[in-house]
């Protein structure tokens, strides 16, 4: 059993990990660091690079069974995706920069 991930990341932060050797992807609101796994991925590295830094939920489910996620999750998840801010404060315009 693994503890639930405690870190959360913004989409922007995840999107900065978008290259060979520094490769994160989002699946079902969870953030996977596949920087090392990229070379072991049976589907190849190239396809992972194609979704690097992005949400790959749909593509993941297109090619794999859910059980694959359950098996690899504990070794690859580094955190969850931050909830996007739904409403901006009406006082936002008063903020000084
Ligand atoms: C946490 C992320 C991922 C893990 C742990 C993972 C794991 C795996 C595993 C274990 C296989 C072999 C499946 C089998 O033998 O039945 C596989 C195959 C494959 N994966 Fe992934 N994968 C991940 C992400 C992705 C993503 C994001 C894509 C596409 C954008 C992808 C595309 C593929 C493809 C095309 C295959 C080959 C399918 C086939 O030969 O029929 N994978 N992956």
């Amino acid at each position: 059993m693994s503890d639930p991930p405690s870190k959360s990341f913004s989409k922007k932060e995840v999107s900065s990990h978008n290259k060979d050797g520094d490769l994160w992807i989002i699946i079902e609101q969870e953030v996977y660091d596949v920087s090392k796994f990229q070379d072991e991925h049976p589907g190849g590295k190239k396809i992972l690079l194609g979704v690097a830094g992005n949400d790959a939920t749909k593509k993941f489910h297109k090619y794999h069974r859910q059980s694959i996620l359950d098996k690899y999750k504990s070794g690859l998840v580094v955190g969850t995706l931050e909830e996007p801010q739904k409403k901006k404060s009406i006082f936002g315009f008063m903020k000084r920069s």
Side-chain angles (χ1 to χ4, degrees), residues 53-65:
N54 281 310
D55 192 317
T57 306
K58 276 195 194 143
K59 286 192 175 156
F60 182 86
H61 288 300
K62 191 172 160 190
Y63 297 115
H64 318 77
R65 299 161 188 273

Side-chain angles (χ1 to χ4, degrees), residues 25 27 32 34 37 41-43 47-48 51 56 59-60 63-64 68 72 76:
I25 54 175
I27 303 171
Y32 288 73
V34 292
F37 179 71
H41 181 224
I47 200 158
L48 291 181
V51 292
K59 286 192 175 156
F60 182 86
Y63 297 115
H64 318 77
I68 290 183
Y72 286 87
L76 298 174

Side-chain angles (χ1 to χ4, degrees), residues 9 12-20 22-25 31 33 35 51-54:
F9 301 99
K12 199 176 162 200
E13 175 159 15
V14 176
S15 70
S16 70
H17 302 273
N18 60 359
K19 46 193 171 289
D20 195 338
D22 181 14
L23 209 172
W24 290 13
I25 54 175
V31 180
D33 179 351
S35 306
V51 292
N54 281 310

